[in-house]
Amino acid sequence: MATSEEGTFYIELCKKPIRFDPVSKATNVFYDDSNKQVFAVRSGGAMGVVVKGPEDKNIISFRIEDRGDVTSIKFSPDKKILAIQRSQKSVEFINFQEDLTTDQLEYSQTCKGRATIIKGFIWTNNSEIVFITDHGIEVYQVNPEKKTLKNLKSLNITVIWYVWMNRPDGGLLLLSTGSQGNSLQPIYFTFGSQNRLPKFEVDLPSFPKQIKQMLQERDVSIAAIYGQLYIVVLRHQPRPGATGAEIVLYQIQANKDSPAKKTNILKLEMSGRFAINIVDNLVFVHHQASKTTVMFDIRLNGESDGYCLANYPVVSPLPIRPFKLLMPSLNLQGQEKTEYNCELYSANWIVFQPDVIIDAKLGCLWYVELKLEVLVNMIPDKCKLIKFLLQRGNSKSVILSVCRHMLLPGQQAPLMVISRVYDMLNKVYKLFLDSEVQALASDIYHRQERTSRCVIIDQSDMYSNVFSIFEDNKDIPYKFRVAVLIEYIRSLSQQDIPVQHYLYELVINILVHNNCFYQLHQFLQYHVLSDSKPLACLMLSLESVYPPAHQLALDMLKRLSTANEEIIEVLLSKQQLLPVLRFIRSVGITDTVSARKFLEAAMNTEDNRVFYTVFKFFEQRNSRLRSNPRFQPGEHCEQYVRHFESLFGTDALAPIPAPT
Amino acid sequence: MLSSSWCFLHQDTEMSAKGNVTLKNFFIFNATYGPKEGEEEKKIMYYYPKNVDIDTKIKQIGLCEAIVQFTGTFSDQPCESLHTQKHRQIILEPEKNFWITITVTVPFTEKTRDGQIYVEYHEEDVQDSVMKAVLKQAYRMFTLFNGSFYHILNNSNGDVFVLQQRLDHFFSRYLLTLRLQQSDILDIYNGIYFLPLDKNTFLQVQCFINILEASFPVIKYTAFLYSDLLVWSGLEQDDMRIMYRYLTTSLFPSYSEQELQAGGAQPSPARTISVPGNSGIHFGKFITGPTNMKDETNLGKIPRVYINTEVDNEDCHLLVYRALNATVCLLLNSSITLNFELCKKLDAFLGPKLSALASEVGEQYSKRPQNSAEQQFKYIYFNHMNLAQKTTVHADLRKSVGVGLPQDILQVLSDVSTDLTKNNRDGETIVRTLSDCWVVGKKSDQREVLIVLNQKNSNLVEITEEVKRLCSTNFSNIFFLE
């Protein structure tokens, strides 16, 4: 359990930040969010460039000639070509070998047109680079062997600024155009082709007697949330008189002909400087003035006005957990290090998508992390909590822990809540099972993609992680235990999910231990507990404490229709010889059963009439099968023939027909 | 011939009214209360009819006591019935030393032979097994509302007068509701009609009850019925059996009657409840308890019942609530005082939920296969294990519409059943009546089925085949030996 102080922080910076040389007069720092690499360029590269990626192994270090201040530096996705921009007119390239060494030889590409200024560039695949200029975009094919570039395509459009988001299959480029910069042109790059999506306008707040403010680059970002692409726009003052800022989400439509649609408005209820991160499909909004962060889940608590959903923070704004960094001590000599409290929400922070915070002065790159365990105590509404957790990436153990706690005395949730929670879990479980079935029918590639998304809580998870507390915690009243299990079984059957036997067994054991046989009887009567041989055997074992269990077991075996052997055994064990003979006759297996078993049971009844009847029954069978009433040696019935003779005499045996 | 039933033939001089089975007397005595001569009166706990002079009462009780004593010397089983030409007396000792006796008249017809009128008594028209069932039921019904005789005595420090008062209070009214003529095989079975439901709907009912009981811990037991059919019982079988009897033959019919008088054909008008956040209409109403949720002064009548499910003679309040056709019976711990506030909370909880559930169950209920009206056969099924019974003989469960079989066949059914039960073995009895009707009784484990076939000019083989066919179509999912 977290201590009270620890319990209040659910957002953390990763424990091990990526460290790099802090920004200084000599050192410039760049971050490439496509490759998630941070570049520390010392003295224009002459003193070295150090590149660090998310994994410590990938440190790349090299030197480049100092040919002026670097304004942008990015590797191609396969890290074989480095592109460097130092001027507004051209971009230089350096090839890298597999072992990350370089021949230092640069080649260059200038943009088209004299007055054109390169605003920036993006790698759209390993050998394709796009220059974004004030006049539009230029797509080039890079040929590293020949050290040349070839212009593939150009697009003329006045660009004020741009935003780029890298995607596994390419990426989305968003161009700001128009006099207010609020006319946005999305272009989707994928496998060497460019899809111009419909342009759309972001509505800017209008204030009387004021010029409309431009839409600023810093207020726009692209985010992937729940598998959908969104343009995230921060509106500082949405309406005249409104105090709180809000974030508007424009969803890129799957249909390429429809413009992005305004779908959600996140109500910040604060104003000032904001920065946005996307973590685990949640929108995190950092607020500098209050030094807090609010979290939004667009699938939770939306209020619809008919056009789009208004979302409110999942929990109240709270600060990020304080971060302590070990730094070489400034005053003392030697290797000693002191703990240094990082300033959170510092003015030096730069936030990158999706989940990166960089403090350039400190030389730290952090990933923002969400602590679900802490959050659990902040959402008292269990239904809301589970709904939230089910959407998270790595929440299985947390969900199971919540479910377990809901059953504990003292923290017990009302049955109604438990019922709704189970319904939520099983709905996801059912979708998963269905997709499994579909995946088996189609290809395997799809399946992996689908299942990686949601958290599945299946029956064995519930059994071994949640219902197991019934074993450990005897204080839970049996009525509650049964109610919980029945609730779970109901939820499963309503989703048409076959219930596993161990759950039935658990219910039965609780009922039996508390002498609730009549309740058990009613469950079986309505087939709440599905028929099976193990269940039938369990019922048979209960006969001594609850006689009707015998009938229930036999009914079940009969319905299973594959349990004739078991029925015979049950009847024989009850010495019900005549019924068992009628039974084998009715199911047509008289010719195949072993006579010995029946004769033995008949002899054990010590009722001579019964023995006689059984004996005669099999004599008749023998006659029918082999035209001879005698038993064959292989049947091992000699003992019973002798017993018959001793009781009734040899004359009583059926005569052997004369051979014809 | 029952070993324990004794036939006395003696001339009865009294002239009784012409006709059918009628109640002659009903009395309860405890022989140990007035063992000395002159104190015989003390033995009488209850005697019906009341206006009989004390000498007759003492004589009747004396006779009964004497027969029991006398026959007791020959057998471990006490004498159960006394047959005379004009009367039939059934004797039962439900609790030690307490004897209940019912005497009914034997039906007769007046006939003329050689110009002379004479009376013919139909002894076979009164069946011991049926009368015994009637008597047992009377006792159980009393204990349902009062607890056992000894329980009453214990609670009143052995004051017999309290017991006498209770008996008088109860039986004076109960006996008037007896319908002896209509008593038949169903009284012997005294079973329960269950509502066939699919698994999911049943689970919904089950979960509804669990949530109800968890939300209101004062509720000790709950039973759920749809129409007159049982869906779930938290009570033990024997308690449910008598409770079911009370609900379906007494409480529900009288409630429906009231509703009809009050509001025409509408069963219960929809109400909107005032609880905020709860949208809408529901159909819930208390059957026992407050009749008007706006009248806080009137808590209505809430019966006390005595249940033996967990401990013997557990005292409970019986609140019955209905929405559409669904009824829940709530047994509340008697240690709490029932107040209007609780009823209001229950109403707010039950009203919407039960209404929704009722329509769900109703949808299934209406889809169930109807018995085709003109079937070649009729049957009654009873399972001793769970008391489940089914009948195509009786048009409705309360027997108010009438029975689809002539009286003599009904009697054969009782006889066949009694016979099957007596020798506790699986088997089959086939009877052909004078009217060429076939009655087949089958018993397998604890199940009994009685089939009446109206196939003229059939033979035994054909009938056996037919029964085999019927069983395989109607009872395929249970273990029913041929």
Side-chain angles (χ1 to χ4, degrees):
Chain A
M1 273 267 96
T3 67
S4 60
E5 198 219 332
E6 282 180 325
T8 53
F9 304 105
Y10 67 92
I11 305 167
E12 283 185 8
L13 301 173
C14 64
K15 290 265 175 324
K16 283 188 178 168
I18 298 175
R19 303 299 310 274
F20 52 86
D21 286 351
V23 172
S24 65
K25 269 181 198 156
T27 308
N28 281 325
V29 175
F30 301 90
Y31 179 68
D32 170 19
D33 51 9
S34 298
N35 288 326
K36 299 180 190 302
Q37 285 177 319
V38 63
F39 290 78
V41 182
R42 273 180 281 182
S43 308
M47 298 295 287
V49 178
V50 179
V51 188
K52 286 190 177 176
E55 284 126 44
D56 285 333
K57 283 185 283 182
N58 301 349
I59 300 173
I60 310 167
S61 186
F62 53 88
R63 281 168 202 271
I64 52 170
E65 283 178 52
D66 182 4
R67 294 186 185 170
D69 276 351
V70 173
T71 53
S72 178
I73 182 166
K74 287 172 189 173
F75 270 112
S76 62
D78 60 1
K79 324 277 191 308
K80 285 190 174 155
I81 310 167
L82 178 71
I84 311 157
Q85 192 191 352
R86 299 188 180 97
S87 77
Q88 293 189 326
K89 290 289 175 188
S90 67
V91 176
E92 284 77 49
F93 301 90
I94 299 173
N95 292 346
F96 275 72
Q97 317 295 327
E98 286 289 343
D99 57 359
L100 299 172
T101 58
T102 167
D103 52 13
Q104 298 260 346
L105 278 177
E106 292 188 9
Y107 48 104
S108 167
Q109 176 68 49
T110 49
C111 62
K112 293 177 170 179
R114 288 210 175 154
T116 310
I117 289 170
I118 301 176
K119 290 181 170 287
F121 63 86
I122 49 175
W123 287 99
T124 50
N125 64 45
N126 288 336
S127 61
E128 190 184 274
I129 192 162
V130 177
F131 292 180
I132 296 100
T133 69
D134 53 351
H135 284 74
I137 61 168
E138 295 168 16
V139 184
Y140 294 95
Q141 167 96 50
V142 185
N143 189 333
E145 284 81 37
K146 291 184 183 164
K147 300 195 163 118
T148 56
L149 278 85
K150 192 175 119 196
N151 181 227
L152 296 175
K153 203 175 178 179
S154 298
L155 175 68
N156 287 326
I157 181 170
T158 312
V159 177
I160 299 167
W161 45 258
Y162 74 94
V163 184
W164 163 255
M165 187 199 216
N166 198 50
R167 299 286 292 158
D169 60 342
L172 180 68
L173 177 66
L174 188 69
L175 302 174
S176 151
T177 69
S179 56
Q180 250 86 39
N182 66 332
S183 185
L184 300 181
Q185 170 66 63
I187 302 171
Y188 202 89
F189 288 82
T190 177
F191 306 117
S193 72
Q194 301 88 39
N195 287 313
R196 242 173 115 169
L197 305 175
K199 224 181 209 185
F200 68 99
E201 293 223 341
V202 169
D203 38 331
L204 293 172
S206 60
F207 301 97
K209 294 173 201 162
Q210 264 185 38
I211 321 162
K212 272 193 178 177
Q213 284 211 319
M214 295 278 287
L215 182 62
Q216 302 287 326
E217 180 184 354
R218 61 160 190 267
D219 291 338
V220 178
S221 50
I222 305 173
I225 308 170
Y226 294 126
Q228 295 276 354
L229 282 179
Y230 290 90
I231 311 299
V232 181
V233 179
L234 182 65
R235 291 205 290 198
H236 291 281
Q237 199 173 18
R239 281 162 301 279
T243 48
E246 59 188 34
I247 286 169
V248 185
L249 299 186
Y250 293 86
Q251 191 187 60
I252 301 289
Q253 299 299 294
N255 175 3
K256 293 198 161 56
D257 298 328
S258 347
K261 197 178 140 207
K262 194 201 269 192
T263 52
N264 297 74
I265 296 177
L266 316 182
K267 304 281 189 186
L268 293 173
E269 290 161 339
M270 293 185 285
S271 54
R273 272 192 72 183
F274 296 101
I276 296 167
N277 275 139
I278 307 293
V279 179
D280 206 354
N281 294 307
L282 297 164
V283 182
F284 279 26
V285 185
H286 309 292
H287 184 232
Q288 204 180 25
S290 66
K291 290 190 188 298
T292 57
T293 300
V294 284
M295 176 174 76
F296 292 91
D297 181 355
I298 58 168
R299 289 205 178 154
L300 209 64
N301 298 0
E303 280 174 22
S304 176
D305 65 352
Y307 298 100
C308 63
L309 288 174
N311 296 93
Y312 294 91
V314 179
V315 291
S316 330
L318 279 171
I320 297 174
R321 174 199 292 275
F323 192 86
K324 291 188 170 81
L325 202 58
L326 278 177
M327 299 271 274
S329 186
L330 295 175
N331 304 326
L332 294 162
Q333 298 279 316
Q335 294 296 305
E336 266 180 78
K337 286 182 174 183
T338 50
E339 250 186 1
Y340 171 80
N341 254 332
C342 295
E343 186 195 352
L344 298 177
Y345 303 93
S346 133
N348 302 319
W349 275 19
I350 311 162
V351 171
F352 289 93
Q353 297 313 319
D355 55 353
V356 172
I357 292 177
I358 290 177
D359 190 321
K361 282 265 166 67
L362 216 56
C364 280
L365 183 151
W366 292 282
Y367 294 102
V368 178
E369 292 174 349
L370 170 66
K371 290 290 156 202
L372 290 174
E373 298 80 9
V374 181
L375 204 63
V376 162
N377 299 321
M378 298 185 184
I379 308 177
D381 178 347
K382 294 284 183 267
C383 294
K384 186 178 162 187
L385 176 64
I386 294 291
K387 195 177 172 192
F388 176 84
L389 289 175
L390 274 174
Q391 310 282 2
R392 304 285 72 83
N394 199 14
S395 58
K396 188 163 181 161
S397 63
V398 181
I399 293 179
L400 288 171
S401 144
V402 170
C403 288
R404 194 167 44 239
H405 278 101
M406 283 201 299
L407 308 181
L408 279 178
Q411 304 171 46
Q412 232 163 57
L415 263 185
M416 210 130 50
V417 172
I418 293 173
S419 157
R420 284 218 290 278
V421 166
Y422 290 172
D423 280 345
M424 278 192 267
L425 298 183
N426 289 328
K427 217 169 161 181
V428 179
Y429 181 28
K430 171 69 175 172
L431 284 175
F432 166 74
L433 291 175
D434 286 351
S435 71
E436 283 279 88
V437 172
Q438 277 178 356
L440 280 176
S442 60
D443 57 298
I444 297 158
Y445 171 76
H446 258 76
R447 169 180 165 187
Q448 283 169 336
E449 204 178 27
R450 271 200 66 90
T451 54
S452 59
R453 209 12 267 145
C454 47
V455 181
I456 312 299
I457 309 288
D458 66 17
Q459 297 178 55
S460 64
D461 293 327
M462 290 297 281
Y463 180 76
S464 44
N465 292 296
V466 178
F467 301 134
S468 54
I469 66 156
F470 292 154
E471 269 301 304
D472 316 332
N473 204 316
K474 300 288 178 203
D475 298 342
I476 304 169
Y478 80 88
K479 220 171 167 174
F480 182 74
R481 298 180 201 202
V482 174
V484 165
L485 287 167
I486 292 298
E487 205 52 78
Y488 187 63
I489 291 173
R490 174 203 59 77
S491 183
L492 288 171
S493 357
Q494 245 165 8
Q495 298 283 353
D496 282 324
I497 303 170
V499 181
Q500 297 294 325
H501 178 71
Y502 47 73
L503 289 174
Y504 292 146
E505 214 170 335
L506 202 53
V507 177
I508 295 170
N509 284 340
I510 297 172
L511 289 172
V512 168
H513 284 147
N514 293 284
N515 293 317
C516 302
F517 293 109
Y518 191 45
Q519 271 90 320
L520 176 60
H521 198 137
Q522 292 179 78
F523 285 143
L524 290 163
Q525 206 171 304
Y526 282 99
H527 306 295
V528 167
L529 313 172
S530 304
D531 297 342
S532 69
K533 271 188 204 176
L535 185 52
C537 295
L538 185 63
M539 292 315 294
L540 282 173
S541 70
L542 292 176
E543 197 198 338
S544 57
V545 276
Y546 187 61
H550 174 72
Q551 193 188 68
L552 291 166
L554 275 181
D555 290 352
M556 206 176 276
L557 292 171
K558 161 93 185 295
R559 285 191 296 267
L560 287 168
S561 75
T562 55
N564 290 340
E565 272 306 311
E566 284 83 351
I567 292 178
I568 292 170
E569 290 302 330
V570 170
L571 292 175
L572 283 179
S573 71
K574 294 254 136 191
Q575 299 200 330
Q576 294 195 302
L577 264 304
L578 298 185
V580 77
L581 293 185
R582 285 195 209 108
F583 173 74
I584 59 171
R585 200 169 58 193
S586 75
V587 294
I589 54 170
T590 312
D591 294 353
T592 52
V593 294
S594 140
R596 191 174 138 207
K597 189 157 69 179
F598 294 85
L599 289 168
E600 188 189 348
M603 196 166 86
N604 289 341
T605 62
E606 289 172 8
D607 182 334
N608 294 344
R609 278 192 302 176
V610 168
F611 183 74
Y612 184 85
T613 312
V614 174
F615 194 86
K616 284 289 160 189
F617 178 87
F618 283 104
E619 267 193 339
Q620 279 168 22
R621 177 188 83 162
N622 294 343
S623 296
R624 199 176 59 250
L625 286 177
R626 297 186 292 270
S627 312
N628 186 338
R630 295 289 175 268
F631 292 96
Q632 288 191 319
E635 293 184 85
H636 302 291
C637 292
E638 297 78 11
Q639 181 193 355
Y640 311 108
V641 175
R642 277 197 301 278
H643 183 65
F644 184 84
E645 287 169 349
S646 72
L647 284 174
F648 308 107
T650 28
D651 293 348
L653 291 170
I656 300 170
T660 47
Chain B
M1 163 104 186
L2 287 162
S3 60
S4 51
S5 82
W6 289 68
C7 292
F8 285 77
L9 286 168
H10 69 102
Q11 225 35 47
D12 207 323
T13 46
E14 204 182 327
M15 264 308 288
S16 59
K18 167 188 172 181
N20 281 313
V21 182
T22 53
L23 178 65
K24 176 143 193 307
N25 64 40
F26 178 97
F27 52 85
I28 300 165
F29 66 93
N30 184 329
T32 59
Y33 285 172
K36 288 182 196 153
E37 229 172 287
E39 285 182 349
E40 288 90 349
E41 204 181 331
K42 288 183 181 169
K43 295 177 181 174
I44 308 171
M45 295 294 111
Y46 176 72
Y47 199 100
Y48 171 91
K50 272 186 184 168
N51 55 1
V52 173
D53 61 278
I54 189 71
D55 277 353
T56 314
K57 288 180 186 173
I58 289 171
K59 271 185 194 158
Q60 284 293 334
I61 286 171
L63 176 62
C64 190
E65 196 187 337
I67 290 166
V68 170
Q69 289 275 332
F70 174 63
T71 55
T73 57
F74 299 100
S75 161
D76 295 339
Q77 281 178 297
C79 171
E80 287 176 329
S81 69
L82 176 65
H83 293 212
T84 66
Q85 189 183 17
K86 293 177 183 174
H87 294 115
R88 181 74 52 85
Q89 192 171 48
I90 309 291
I91 308 160
L92 180 74
E93 187 188 19
E95 293 179 42
K96 187 145 179 54
N97 295 328
F98 279 101
W99 297 86
I100 306 185
T101 305
I102 188 170
T103 313
V104 297
T105 58
V106 172
F108 61 90
T109 39
E110 281 183 350
K111 285 191 177 171
T112 322
R113 194 200 290 151
D114 307 332
Q116 274 218 313
I117 296 169
Y118 74 98
V119 180
E120 197 179 277
Y121 290 93
H122 308 290
E123 213 216 335
E124 67 284 357
D125 285 358
V126 180
Q127 288 172 293
D128 282 2
S129 50
V130 174
M131 285 304 138
K132 207 169 123 188
V134 168
L135 193 58
K136 268 188 181 159
Q137 219 170 80
Y139 167 73
R140 272 301 276 136
M141 200 61 90
F142 172 82
T143 54
L144 176 67
F145 291 102
N146 298 282
S148 69
F149 297 163
Y150 280 107
H151 178 73
I152 296 168
L153 288 172
N154 285 344
N155 279 1
S156 61
N157 295 322
D159 187 350
V160 178
F161 182 64
V162 175
L163 177 62
Q164 284 169 327
Q165 267 188 322
R166 290 280 193 88
L167 289 169
D168 182 56
H169 180 79
F170 180 82
F171 282 111
S172 305
R173 284 179 295 168
Y174 180 80
L175 293 178
L176 299 179
T177 65
L178 280 185
R179 292 191 292 183
L180 294 174
Q181 246 179 291
Q182 287 167 18
S183 303
D184 61 17
I185 173 90
L186 289 191
D187 292 275
I188 301 177
Y189 286 154
N190 194 13
I192 294 170
Y193 296 98
F194 283 93
L195 175 68
L197 264 189
D198 75 11
K199 175 181 172 180
N200 281 349
T201 320
F202 177 76
L203 278 168
Q204 275 184 24
V205 171
Q206 180 62 40
C207 289
F208 161 78
I209 290 167
N210 286 340
I211 289 177
L212 169 70
E213 290 185 359
S215 312
F216 296 91
V218 288
I219 301 173
K220 279 219 71 172
Y221 314 100
T222 311
F224 189 104
L225 292 92
Y226 187 85
S227 284
D228 282 344
L229 310 172
L230 184 67
V231 178
W232 167 260
S233 161
L235 291 171
E236 283 304 315
Q237 231 178 43
D238 190 51
D239 283 330
M240 195 57 230
R241 188 182 215 171
I242 193 69
M243 181 67 84
Y244 181 81
R245 192 84 191 175
Y246 163 66
L247 295 172
T248 54
T249 61
S250 169
L251 185 67
F252 292 173
S254 66
Y255 177 72
S256 307
E257 219 164 273
Q258 261 176 44
E259 287 275 292
L260 275 173
Q261 282 169 0
Q266 280 284 313
S268 46
R271 296 186 298 125
T272 33
I273 53 163
S274 52
V275 176
N278 234 325
S279 64
I281 300 167
H282 74 79
F283 299 89
K285 261 189 163 183
F286 281 103
I287 294 183
T288 66
T291 45
N292 182 354
M293 290 317 293
K294 293 203 172 74
D295 180 8
E296 302 216 355
T297 58
N298 185 5
L299 200 55
K301 258 201 213 162
I302 299 169
R304 281 275 187 110
V305 291
Y306 292 78
I307 297 301
N308 307 317
T309 293
E310 272 175 19
V311 287
D312 281 351
N313 296 302
E314 188 184 3
D315 191 358
C316 292
H317 299 289
L318 173 65
L319 263 180
V320 183
Y321 190 89
R322 174 176 284 179
L324 301 170
N325 278 322
T327 310
V328 280
C329 301
L330 312 174
L331 289 148
L332 287 78
N333 211 321
S334 68
S335 57
I336 58 133
T337 35
L338 267 178
N339 55 27
F340 200 83
E341 193 52 39
L342 178 66
C343 293
K344 223 168 146 177
K345 277 189 196 152
L346 278 168
D347 180 54
F349 180 94
L350 289 169
K353 286 200 176 58
L354 192 58
S355 301
L357 197 54
S359 39
E360 192 131 331
V361 176
E363 210 172 289
Q364 266 208 41
Y365 180 67
S366 58
K367 274 192 251 163
R368 78 198 193 287
Q370 294 289 333
N371 282 320
S372 46
E374 279 312 307
Q375 259 175 334
Q376 276 296 302
F377 69 99
K378 290 188 159 58
Y379 74 87
I380 299 177
Y381 162 88
F382 181 67
N383 184 352
H384 288 272
M385 274 312 184
N386 62 357
L387 307 179
Q389 70 182 9
K390 274 182 199 164
T391 173
T392 60
V393 171
H394 303 80
D396 82 323
L397 316 182
R398 285 172 212 139
K399 301 185 223 166
S400 58
V401 174
V403 182
L405 284 179
Q407 196 65 29
D408 60 324
I409 306 284
L410 269 177
Q411 281 165 8
V412 173
L413 287 178
S414 307
D415 287 340
V416 168
S417 164
T418 312
D419 206 41
L420 283 171
T421 316
K422 195 174 57 181
N423 63 48
N424 195 22
R425 268 210 183 154
D426 293 0
E428 193 170 83
T429 308
I430 301 180
V431 177
R432 186 182 174 184
T433 68
L434 282 175
S435 50
D436 204 6
C437 197
W438 292 82
V439 175
V440 182
K442 277 170 69 72
K443 183 168 178 296
S444 169
D445 195 9
Q446 298 291 315
R447 294 185 168 103
E448 265 180 62
V449 63
L450 302 167
I451 302 170
V452 181
L453 289 148
N454 216 343
Q455 283 174 340
K456 304 273 180 222
N457 306 318
S458 298
N459 61 36
L460 196 59
V461 177
E462 287 164 354
I463 292 297
T464 315
E465 281 305 310
E466 183 66 16
V467 168
K468 211 169 165 179
R469 202 181 55 76
L470 295 177
C471 286
S472 66
T473 51
N474 284 288
F475 305 108
S476 58
N477 61 344
I478 55 174
F479 189 79
F480 206 74
L481 276 173
E482 64 176 87

